[in-house]
Amino acid sequence: DIQMTQSPSSLSASLGDRVTITCRASQDIGNYLTWFQQKPGKSPRRMIYGATNLAAGVPSRFSGSRSGSDYSLTISSLESEDVADYHCLQSIQYPFTFGSGTKLEIK
Amino acid sequence: QVQLKESGPGLVQPSQTLSLTCTVAGFSLTSYNVHWVRQPPGKGLEWMGVIWNTGGTRYNSALKSRLSISKDTSKSQVFLKMNSLQTEDTATYYCARDLTRVDVMDAWGQGASVTVSS
């Protein structure tokens, strides 16, 4: 199975900060990488798909990028509504596998 | 409007079988795949399996011996059955749809909370 190593596990940042969360894939996954946001008590919401494509309705302060086997989700200017857990998912190969998640808080 | 909604028992006894239904609206199961994903309390997401628009299935190997996913396209319903439940199967269970392996899981259900306890 493909392992997705997500870091950091938690992150505290100030409003307006640039925030980056990373997932590293244990094998080549091309651009088959999706980022989800999950607020407490809610279902996951797709933010980025195909590594770099912004999902419908997602604010433009969110972006996705790839450097080799490292995939990043960046929030250009942190807002209070961005407090959530973030998860990455690889979908190039079954079984699909998620990263372990990142808890983002406001400092 | 695209909707997915999970339903099922909130409490299951150990060693018993879990049966969940995902009822969809706003799209056809003949066009979209449906995944099941679960999340134990306070933990991360785990992919369980998928039923393709064609009716084929793939399962997480860790669950394969206990898990079955099926569907009734005419009723717009997808079914999950998992037997031999243990306390570690306590989780919120989600269904989510997708069209392709790149354009994955664009819509999710609200989740069904399942507790395994006697």
Side-chain angles (χ1 to χ4, degrees):
Chain A
D1 298 359
I2 296 175
Q3 306 302 314
M4 301 300 297
T5 303
Q6 187 170 343
S7 61
S9 57
S10 64
L11 178 56
S12 182
S14 300
L15 295 175
D17 280 356
R18 182 180 182 88
V19 170
T20 298
I21 299 167
T22 299
C23 274
R24 174 169 291 175
S26 63
Q27 301 175 36
D28 181 20
I29 62 168
N31 286 333
Y32 290 77
L33 191 286
T34 304
W35 288 100
F36 298 95
Q37 176 192 68
Q38 187 179 26
K39 296 187 177 181
K42 300 295 187 181
S43 305
R45 173 194 179 191
R46 189 176 73 168
M47 306 300 280
I48 300 287
Y49 67 97
T52 60
N53 300 295
L54 198 66
V58 174
S60 59
R61 64 181 179 274
F62 289 87
S63 64
S65 63
R66 172 190 177 188
S67 176
S69 60
D70 289 341
Y71 298 79
S72 296
L73 173 72
T74 298
I75 307 172
S76 60
S77 180
L78 186 64
E79 298 192 8
S80 56
E81 66 184 38
D82 302 333
V83 169
D85 293 333
Y86 291 85
H87 310 271
C88 64
L89 168 75
Q90 70 78 19
S91 57
I92 195 172
Q93 180 185 109
Y94 291 109
F96 288 5
T97 45
F98 288 92
S100 54
T102 295
K103 187 176 192 67
L104 176 58
E105 298 175 324
I106 301 294
K107 191 182 295 182
Chain B
Q1 184 181 2
V2 172
Q3 288 186 325
L4 301 93
K5 186 173 183 179
E6 305 87 350
S7 59
L11 180 65
V12 179
Q13 294 197 339
S15 79
Q16 297 301 302
T17 297
L18 172 65
S19 294
L20 294 174
T21 299
C22 175
T23 302
V24 309
F27 66 97
S28 173
L29 295 177
T30 59
S31 298
Y32 284 81
N33 312 318
V34 173
H35 300 259
W36 287 95
V37 174
R38 70 177 180 175
Q39 185 173 38
K43 296 191 176 181
L45 300 168
E46 179 184 29
W47 181 81
M48 299 181 71
V50 61
I51 186 162
W52 294 321
N53 61 327
T54 58
T57 55
R58 290 294 296 267
Y59 300 117
N60 186 325
S61 55
L63 302 172
K64 187 175 182 179
S65 63
R66 301 195 289 139
L67 183 62
S68 174
I69 300 173
S70 60
K71 67 178 177 178
D72 185 332
T73 300
S74 66
K75 294 184 178 179
S76 295
Q77 292 181 323
V78 177
F79 309 105
L80 176 147
K81 289 190 188 302
M82 189 162 69
N83 58 31
S84 304
L85 252 60
Q86 300 303 317
T87 55
E88 52 265 34
D89 295 311
T90 293
T92 297
Y93 288 75
Y94 297 98
C95 56
R97 74 163 195 178
D98 70 31
L99 197 57
T100 70
R101 284 202 206 176
V102 172
D103 193 5
V104 299
M105 299 184 193
D106 68 327
W108 293 63
Q110 64 192 20
S113 179
V114 174
T115 299
V116 181
S117 175
S118 55

